């Protein structure tokens, strides 16, 4: 069971009130208890001081719940015996009050019942006919009221602390999920942007190596295009950094796709056709479309050995449709064996409530169709 923290000012406040009341009773000569008044007052002050020290020890060692409760019971009983004013009986309400935080409601109610039973037993043994004495009946009723208020106050405080702990746990969970989401987003961005350019560089450097002796001019052109891909990769890195700093500027989808078609790689030949108006589509939706097209083109270049890739985008009033087709060697689509590229594409598109359909078969090329509904992110993009 979780041990909650008692309201710190309640116990010291009651100790202080009882101390002042007992000292006033002794100074005013109202102390009619047995034994020398000075010795009894000194013992009374000493025990009150021990209660203050016990509260300080409880803050330093909150795990010692049972020893603290037993010590508090013993010291309060000693204060009641030494205090002739009768005011110290109010300290009994602290027993169920503090026990509620350490042990729960059941223990607090049990201690409250024991306090009432103890007071009734003392009346039966020391005050015959107490039930006809207004002072004794009033003391009993006041103790009942004090116990009810103390337990109720403890219940409210424990409920507030429990709600705060649950809120902190929920906030920590949300932070963990947010971090995981951001890691996945960064992984998709790295794969979609840098992966695309690195693939182009790999193809260009292979061409430069193959044509180095046969056609030095072609090899030099390939090296120049590889350098261009490096610059584009660096541009994507800078754009990602600006996005992390919330400083990114969003190019139009048609311009981004045009740059994708003109990345300098001889094969496959990429043609782009965009129709419709981008207004009404948010940055997240347009980015999902661009990244899907980029991934499809990269796959056609890296795996399909295609010679022709066609990218068609239709931006309608209710949804956008992207279709990327190639004449490559195709493959057998299998969701369980999908690579990180298709997985990232599906994740990104699903985040904007879109859908991805891959139609391919060995030797028949590939068609990737992405549909993204027109949403409300345009206002924030």
């Amino acid at each position: 069971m979780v041990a909650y923290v008692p309201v710190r000012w309640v116990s010291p406040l009651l100790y202080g009130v009882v101390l002042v009341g007992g000292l006033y009773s002794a100074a005013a000569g109202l102390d009619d208890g047995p034994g020398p008044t000075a010795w009894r007052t000194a013992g009374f002050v000493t025990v009150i001081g021990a209660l203050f020290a016990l509260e300080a020890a409880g803050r330093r060692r909150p795990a010692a719940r049972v020893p603290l409760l037993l010590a508090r019971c013993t010291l309060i009983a000693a204060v009641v015996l030494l205090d002739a004013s009768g005011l110290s009986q109010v300290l009994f309400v602290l027993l169920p009050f503090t026990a509620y935080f350490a042990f729960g409601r059941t223990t607090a109610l049990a201690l409250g019942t024991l306090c009432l039973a103890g007071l009734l037993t003392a009346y039966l043994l020391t005050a015959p006919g107490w039930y006809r004495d207004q002072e004794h009946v009033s003391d009993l009723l006041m103790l009942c009221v004090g116990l009810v208020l103390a337990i109720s106050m403890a219940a409210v405080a424990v409920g507030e602390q429990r709600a705060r702990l649950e809120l902190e746990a929920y906030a920590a969970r949300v932070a963990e999920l947010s971090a995981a989401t951001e890691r996945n987003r960064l992984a998709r961005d790295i794969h979609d942007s840098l992966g695309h350019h690195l693939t182009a560089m790999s193809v260009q450097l292979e061409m430069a190596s193959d044509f180095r002796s046969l056609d030095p001019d072609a090899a030099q052109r390939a090296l120049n295009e590889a350098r261009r891909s490096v610059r584009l990769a660096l541009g994507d890195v800078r754009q990602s950094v600006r996005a992390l700093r919330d400083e990114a500027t969003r190019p139009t989808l048609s311009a981004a796709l045009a740059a994708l078609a003109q990345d300098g790689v001889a094969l496959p030949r990429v043609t782009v056709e965009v129709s419709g108006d981008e207004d009404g589509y948010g940055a997240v939706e347009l980015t999902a479309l661009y990244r899907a097209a980029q991934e499809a083109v990269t796959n056609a270049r890296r795996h399909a050995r295609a010679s022709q890739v066609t990218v068609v985008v239709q931006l309608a009033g209710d949804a956008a449709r992207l279709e990327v087709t190639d004449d490559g060697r195709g493959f057998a689509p299998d969701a369980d064996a999908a690579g990180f590229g298709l997985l990232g594409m599906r994740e990104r598109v699903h985040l904007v409530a879109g859908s991805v359909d891959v139609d391919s078969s060995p030797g028949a090329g590939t068609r990737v169709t992405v549909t993204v509904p027109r949403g409300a992110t345009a206002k924030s993009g």
Side-chain angles (χ1 to χ4, degrees):
M1 176 183 174
V2 178
Y4 297 96
V5 180
V7 182
R8 299 188 182 279
W9 55 267
V10 173
S11 297
L13 179 62
L14 287 182
Y15 297 153
V17 170
V18 171
L19 177 62
V20 172
L23 292 177
Y24 174 79
S25 177
L30 302 177
D31 188 354
D32 55 355
T37 300
W39 285 101
R40 192 167 57 252
T41 301
F44 168 77
V45 173
T46 301
V47 177
I48 291 290
L51 284 171
F52 277 108
L54 183 66
E55 293 300 318
R59 296 190 186 98
R60 291 192 300 268
R61 299 183 60 185
R65 296 179 294 176
V66 174
L68 287 173
L69 179 61
L70 294 177
R72 187 176 288 111
C73 290
T74 302
L75 292 175
I76 289 177
V79 170
V80 172
L81 292 176
L82 293 171
D83 180 26
S85 68
L87 181 61
S88 57
Q89 292 180 2
V90 72
L91 297 181
F92 282 122
V93 302
L94 292 177
L95 298 179
F97 176 78
T98 55
Y100 201 116
F101 293 91
F103 302 101
R105 180 176 58 187
T106 302
T107 303
L109 291 174
L111 281 176
T113 303
L114 288 175
C115 289
L116 287 176
L119 183 60
L120 283 173
T121 301
Y123 284 170
L124 290 174
L125 296 177
T126 61
W130 64 269
Y131 48 86
R132 292 191 297 269
D133 182 74
Q134 183 177 0
E135 182 178 354
H136 287 85
V137 173
S138 176
D139 289 343
L140 181 62
L141 292 177
M142 290 302 296
L143 180 61
C144 290
V145 172
L147 290 171
V148 170
L149 292 178
I151 293 175
S152 300
M153 183 179 178
V156 171
V158 167
E160 186 273 335
Q161 293 181 33
R162 182 184 296 115
R164 186 173 66 251
L165 292 174
E166 292 175 354
L167 182 60
E168 291 174 354
Y170 176 75
R173 178 61 177 164
V174 169
E176 180 182 350
L177 293 176
S178 298
T181 302
E182 184 64 13
R183 286 194 300 268
N184 291 335
R185 186 188 69 80
L186 290 174
R188 288 194 299 268
D189 286 346
I190 291 172
H191 180 278
D192 293 345
S193 59
L194 292 181
H196 170 79
H197 294 304
L198 291 174
T199 298
M201 281 185 279
S202 176
V203 173
Q204 292 150 0
L205 291 174
E206 287 180 3
M207 291 177 58
S209 177
D210 293 340
F211 287 94
R212 181 174 54 186
S213 58
L214 299 177
D215 190 346
D217 292 337
Q220 186 60 45
R221 287 194 298 271
L223 286 175
N224 292 337
E225 292 300 336
R227 294 190 186 98
R228 181 175 178 272
S229 295
V230 170
R231 290 194 297 271
L232 292 174
L234 289 174
D236 274 356
V237 170
R238 294 188 183 99
Q239 183 176 356
S240 297
V241 172
R242 286 195 298 269
L244 291 174
R245 295 179 177 177
D246 200 21
E247 300 173 358
T249 57
R250 174 170 60 89
T252 63
L253 178 62
S254 57
L257 292 177
L260 179 65
Q262 300 171 359
D263 60 1
V265 180
L267 290 177
R269 180 170 172 267
V270 180
T271 60
V272 175
E273 178 184 341
V274 180
S275 61
D277 192 353
E278 295 183 16
D279 291 342
Y281 288 93
V284 177
E285 297 158 352
L286 296 178
T287 300
L289 290 171
Y290 171 73
R291 292 303 190 190
Q294 187 182 52
E295 176 61 25
V297 172
T298 300
N299 287 339
R301 178 175 293 134
R302 180 187 300 170
H303 305 297
R305 302 184 186 276
S307 61
Q308 177 69 38
V309 179
T310 302
V311 180
V312 178
V313 179
Q314 297 174 337
L315 299 169
D318 57 344
R321 177 184 173 87
L322 164 72
E323 188 173 283
V324 182
T325 58
D326 67 63
D327 59 355
R329 57 185 180 180
F331 66 102
D334 185 354
D336 294 332
F340 291 114
L342 285 177
L343 178 62
M345 180 195 300
R346 295 181 189 278
E347 289 178 350
R348 189 186 296 275
V349 172
H350 289 167
L351 286 175
V352 292
S355 62
V356 177
D357 180 65
V358 180
D359 182 15
S360 182
S361 60
T366 302
R367 176 186 290 110
V368 177
T369 304
V370 176
T371 303
V372 173
R374 181 177 177 180
T377 58
K379 297 180 180 180
S380 61

